[in-house]
Each structure stands twice: as C-alpha cells, then as structure tokens.
Amino acid sequence: MSSLVGPDEDVAQGKPTVPDHVQDAVRTLIQWAGDDPSREGLLDTPARVARAWKEYCQGYDEDPAIHLRRVFEEVGGYDEIVLLKDIPFQSHCEHHMAPIIGKAAIAYLPTDHVVGISKLARVLHGFARRLQVQERLTAEVTQCIWDHLKPQGVAVVIEASHACMTARGVRTPGVSMVTSEMRGVFRDDERSRKEVLSLMGY
Ligand SMILES: [Zn+2]
C-alpha cells in the first residue's frame, strides 16, 4: 500500500512546493536522530516538516503593527483599562526550536482611541510566530502597542511552558515561566500597576 504524496499531488492540493535542499536538511536531521529517512513512514516527512515550519514562522512575513492601524475614536467617554486576557499562543524557542505554549494578558489605558480587541491577539501572534525567547516576545508586543497605539500605558504578562525544558534537559513538566513588561502609567504609577495586575489575576 502506498501513501506517497508526490510533488504532483502537492501542486494539485495547492500546497507550496518545498525545495530539495530544505527536504534534504530534514532528512539529515532524521538520520542524525537515529532513524532511516528512506523508510516508508518517513518519506513525506521532510516536506511536511518544512511546510509546518513555514506555518510556525508565519510572523516573519508580516508587520504586526498593521493590526493597530485602524482605531476607533468613539469610545463613549470610556477612559479605563482595556484588557484582553487568557490569549492562547504558540511560539518556538530560538535555542532549541522547541514549542513554547502559553497564554498572554495584554492591557492598555487608551489615550483617546481604542483598537478592535482581537487586534491585540493578532499583534501577539505576529511576534509569536517566529523563533523567540519569551522575554523578547513580551517586550516586542509591549513596544509595538506603545509605539503604534500611543496609549497612556501598556502592560503585557506572558505565562508559558517551554518544551525545551519540559520534554528534554531537566524534564520538569508543569513548570511555567512568567514575564511582564510595562510602559507609561503602568510602569510609573504603583497604583495603576497594581490595578492592572489584579485585573489580570496576578
Ligand atoms: Zn529552548
């Protein structure tokens, strides 16, 4: 029985073709891991892995700031914190290319305009879909919102588990890492910072 998905079938299914040298790189890695890349179950794996990595790293093809371009000025006098929390995301650590799986809370104190709430998640995903370290991801999301939305304050808290730590190395499942970054009133004013952290549940 053959389950081969050849290049022609890929084209018919609208899948991007994967250059040979990229597939060869995956074959080398399979061999290095101890398996035989020419056995049937692994024949299509190099192309699949390569396409999966294009998807994991889609963020390189976008500028997350574009999601903050469209703002709404009619906020009906609302001048308090806007918070989106428990935003699930997936990224990959740049040290092991292993999954980072977690959730984020993103808050800002508007100046005189707001963005559609889903846009905050899009900014997060734009930066998460790259090779990352959690500290930089947190800082990049914060800075992007700070620069492009120009709010009075931004606060971002990210909590994530790193497969490079849970599945290899010290192998400590259940451990999560928390990072936070603040700008504006959330950094400068103790009361505002406490308020936003308590809204986030920290
Ligand atoms: Zn790692």
Side-chain angles (χ1 to χ4, degrees):
M1 189 190 85
S2 171
S3 63
L4 303 188
V5 179
D8 293 344
E9 204 166 329
D10 286 353
V11 171
Q13 292 174 2
K15 292 178 188 168
T17 42
V18 177
D20 288 344
H21 70 280
V22 179
Q23 299 198 44
D24 286 344
V26 181
R27 270 183 213 105
T28 303
L29 194 58
I30 291 170
Q31 205 155 22
W32 164 250
D35 212 320
D36 171 13
S38 66
R39 72 176 173 83
E40 190 178 345
L42 289 173
L43 283 180
D44 305 323
T45 300
R48 282 197 210 98
V49 169
R51 279 191 214 99
W53 274 99
K54 262 287 171 217
E55 207 176 316
Y56 302 150
C57 290
Q58 256 171 6
Y60 291 121
D61 298 327
E62 68 169 275
D63 173 10
I66 62 162
H67 303 300
L68 302 176
R69 256 187 221 154
R70 185 148 181 257
V71 297
F72 303 94
E73 302 200 343
E74 289 225 16
V75 290
Y78 187 82
D79 59 356
E80 294 294 335
I81 294 170
V82 177
L83 164 67
L84 190 63
K85 63 179 191 176
D86 296 327
I87 316 164
F89 75 92
Q90 189 172 342
S91 185
H92 288 83
C93 86
E94 68 182 23
H95 302 131
H96 304 90
M97 296 173 75
I100 301 172
I101 294 169
K103 57 177 187 162
I106 303 176
Y108 67 101
L109 186 64
T111 305
D112 51 9
H113 52 261
V114 296
V115 276
I117 194 83
S118 70
K119 306 298 182 191
L120 299 177
R122 288 186 191 280
V123 170
L124 169 72
H125 292 139
F127 287 112
R129 290 178 183 143
R130 302 174 185 201
L131 298 176
Q132 276 290 6
V133 294
Q134 188 177 324
E135 295 88 335
R136 189 175 63 230
L137 173 62
T138 312
E140 284 177 341
V141 172
T142 309
Q143 195 64 41
C144 182
I145 295 169
W146 180 243
D147 288 344
H148 295 275
L149 202 54
K150 302 195 188 320
Q152 299 180 60
V154 192
V156 176
V157 178
I158 294 181
E159 195 172 338
S161 85
H162 293 238
C164 61
M165 202 182 151
T166 56
R168 58 160 291 288
V170 291
R171 291 197 180 91
T172 44
V175 170
S176 66
M177 175 170 161
V178 181
T179 46
S180 70
E181 189 85 21
M182 313 263 168
R183 295 278 186 285
V185 291
F186 298 134
R187 186 156 74 179
D188 303 334
D189 179 57
E190 186 62 28
R191 208 178 52 87
S192 302
R193 177 204 291 260
K194 278 192 176 144
E195 186 186 356
V196 76
L197 287 173
S198 107
L199 282 172
M200 286 174 170
Y202 289 100

